[in-house]
Amino acid sequence: MKYTNNSCLSLVSDDEPRSASRTKGSKHYNWWFRVTVYAFLLIAGQSVATLLGEFYYDKGGNSKWMATFVQSAGFPVLFVPLIVARVYLPATSSTTTERPASVSTVALLYFGLGVLIAGNGMLYSYGLLYLPVSTYSMLCSTQLVFSAIFSFFLNSQKFTAFILNSLILLTMSVVLLAVDPNNSSDSTTHSEGKYGSGFVCTVAASAGYSLLLSLTQLCFEKVIRKETINAVLEMSISTSVVSTCTCLVGIFASGDWKGLKSEMNEYQEGSVSYVMTLVWIAVTWQVFSVGLIGLVFEASSLFSNVISTLGSPVVPIFAVIFFHDTLSGVKIMAMLLSLWGFVSYIYQHYIDDCKAKKARIVDDQNEEKC
């Protein structure tokens, strides 16, 4: 979060610094409101989409390409808020006076990010197919470790004792899941070899996801340079279009499309439920996407990943209720470590926020003395 420090200026009246102070405070609370909304969209979208994805596999779905396709195919629902934002919100502003990037540069960046999203989605689809949803969800918390690494090299993220503590705790939680001999027995339909493949694919997807966030932040800072919700929606829609087209190519090139009709007819809950499951998976992933990109835009890629990690303990609880996953002692310990790691990072953000508030107070006092 960034705050502007104003130097002492000649003032027309004593009321002006107080007015400026109120403006700064208003912007501060508006920032927290936007972050809260984006965080809710991210956690809600991620949790529901993951549970629906497990429901798809649990009831007879087996197409990895289809599971990947619906992760981005719901982008048309974002056209409505985009139109509303363009009509009712202020015109787009730039964070710099530099010349904006060319259309070809932006298009190339969106294309690269979209292909990365498609490849990453395929890895996640394999992980969700071969792992219990509770194990899968907690393994996704490794993305915070990868995010810290990529943020350090790509986004100049600084490490503190609390951030390092967070990374260590999350790493320990993943190690516990990796060495737990009871994990493979949770899934009765897949062998230990496929469990291992799902484990590796999920961790690899977490690394790709973290790289995607850091690249997204870099794009906002160096290329997009816009400070409106329009920029968030435009990036989400554009990258989803590329990802959807990539998945369509994969569906037809692999011949996966030939089995989709029989898969729908043999779906345990019926063909209507099959279609509705895929539709709502698509919609909820778009909700997640807006929250994700919004947090990267408002804060940072690492902060966005921390909020995403917060949703990891939510999914296993619902997985026990709806899918009868076993919640062993090792999983509970891993979940607690994951929560501890999350709290550690949030506390560091709280400290940074307090320092920023003190800096604003000092600035306001200096202005009043001028």
Side-chain angles (χ1 to χ4, degrees):
M1 188 167 56
K2 300 175 183 177
Y3 299 100
T4 303
N5 297 328
N6 298 323
S7 58
C8 292
L9 300 173
S10 58
L11 303 173
V12 176
S13 68
D14 293 337
D15 293 334
E16 193 167 328
R18 295 187 181 88
S19 176
S21 177
R22 285 194 296 269
T23 301
K24 290 180 181 179
S26 177
K27 289 182 178 180
H28 174 68
Y29 289 117
N30 286 338
W31 182 88
W32 275 109
F33 174 76
R34 294 193 301 271
V35 166
T36 301
V37 171
Y38 284 134
F40 173 78
L41 293 177
L42 188 153
I43 294 174
Q46 174 182 261
S47 301
V48 176
T50 301
L51 291 170
L52 286 175
E54 177 66 13
F55 182 80
Y56 165 75
Y57 285 132
D58 191 56
K59 298 302 180 180
N62 194 48
S63 173
K64 275 81 68 179
W65 275 113
M66 177 55 70
T68 306
F69 171 77
V70 294
Q71 291 180 25
S72 56
F75 67 87
V77 302
L78 299 183
F79 282 115
V80 175
L82 178 62
I83 293 172
V84 172
R86 286 185 172 180
V87 172
Y88 293 103
L89 295 183
T92 302
S93 61
S94 175
T95 60
T96 178
T97 56
E98 297 179 11
R99 185 178 179 181
S102 64
V103 175
S104 58
T105 300
V106 175
L108 183 62
L109 286 173
Y110 285 165
F111 177 80
L113 292 175
V115 172
L116 180 59
I117 289 172
N120 214 49
M122 175 58 74
L123 290 173
Y124 274 130
S125 296
Y126 270 99
L128 190 57
L129 174 62
Y130 295 145
L131 295 176
V133 68
S134 56
T135 303
Y136 164 86
S137 180
M138 283 185 284
L139 275 178
C140 288
S141 64
T142 57
Q143 63 201 30
L144 187 55
V145 179
F146 293 113
S147 184
I149 296 172
F150 289 125
S151 295
F152 177 77
F153 289 105
L154 297 178
N155 310 123
S156 302
Q157 174 72 44
K158 295 181 180 180
F159 288 101
T160 65
F162 288 109
I163 291 179
L164 288 174
N165 180 61
S166 175
L167 301 181
I168 293 172
L169 291 171
L170 287 165
T171 303
M172 290 173 60
S173 70
V174 174
V175 171
L176 282 176
L177 291 175
V179 301
D180 181 15
N182 297 320
N183 264 333
S184 60
S185 63
D186 284 346
S187 181
T188 58
T189 57
H190 300 295
S191 63
E192 289 189 21
K194 288 187 175 181
Y195 173 86
S197 298
F199 191 98
V200 172
C201 285
T202 304
V203 174
S206 296
Y209 173 86
S210 301
L211 176 61
L212 175 66
L213 290 184
S214 292
L215 291 176
T216 300
Q217 181 179 347
L218 198 62
C219 287
F220 270 122
E221 293 174 349
K222 304 297 183 181
V223 181
I224 307 300
R225 299 194 294 264
K226 296 178 182 178
E227 294 185 341
T228 63
I229 184 62
N230 291 347
V232 175
L233 293 172
E234 287 171 3
M235 173 175 279
S236 183
I237 291 173
S238 301
T239 54
S240 293
V241 169
V242 175
S243 178
T244 301
C245 293
T246 303
C247 292
L248 281 175
V249 172
I251 288 174
F252 286 99
S254 64
D256 208 32
W257 63 276
K258 298 177 181 178
L260 293 179
K261 185 175 181 180
S262 60
E263 179 180 281
M264 181 175 65
N265 293 332
E266 296 171 4
Y267 198 66
Q268 294 180 19
E269 300 297 317
S271 58
V272 175
S273 177
Y274 176 84
V275 174
M276 293 306 298
T277 299
L278 294 178
V279 167
W280 282 109
I281 290 175
V283 171
T284 50
W285 274 125
Q286 289 306 306
V287 172
F288 161 81
S289 177
V290 172
L292 176 76
I293 296 177
L295 286 178
V296 172
F297 167 70
E298 292 289 350
S300 68
S301 60
L302 187 57
F303 184 83
S304 182
N305 229 330
V306 168
I307 299 300
S308 181
T309 304
L310 176 61
S312 297
V314 176
V315 177
I317 295 173
F318 284 106
V320 173
I321 298 173
F322 295 110
F323 301 109
H324 308 293
D325 277 3
T326 58
L327 201 60
S328 64
V330 174
K331 282 186 179 180
I332 293 175
M333 181 60 68
M335 185 186 301
L336 292 175
L337 288 174
S338 178
L339 282 172
W340 187 3
F342 167 77
V343 172
S344 181
Y345 182 89
I346 288 297
Y347 184 69
Q348 177 61 54
H349 192 76
Y350 169 76
I351 292 176
D352 293 339
D353 192 44
C354 289
K355 290 180 180 179
K357 288 180 180 179
K358 291 180 180 179
R360 290 204 317 275
I361 293 173
V362 172
D363 290 340
D364 292 341
Q365 291 174 344
N366 291 337
E367 287 179 352
E368 291 179 356
K369 291 177 182 180
C370 292

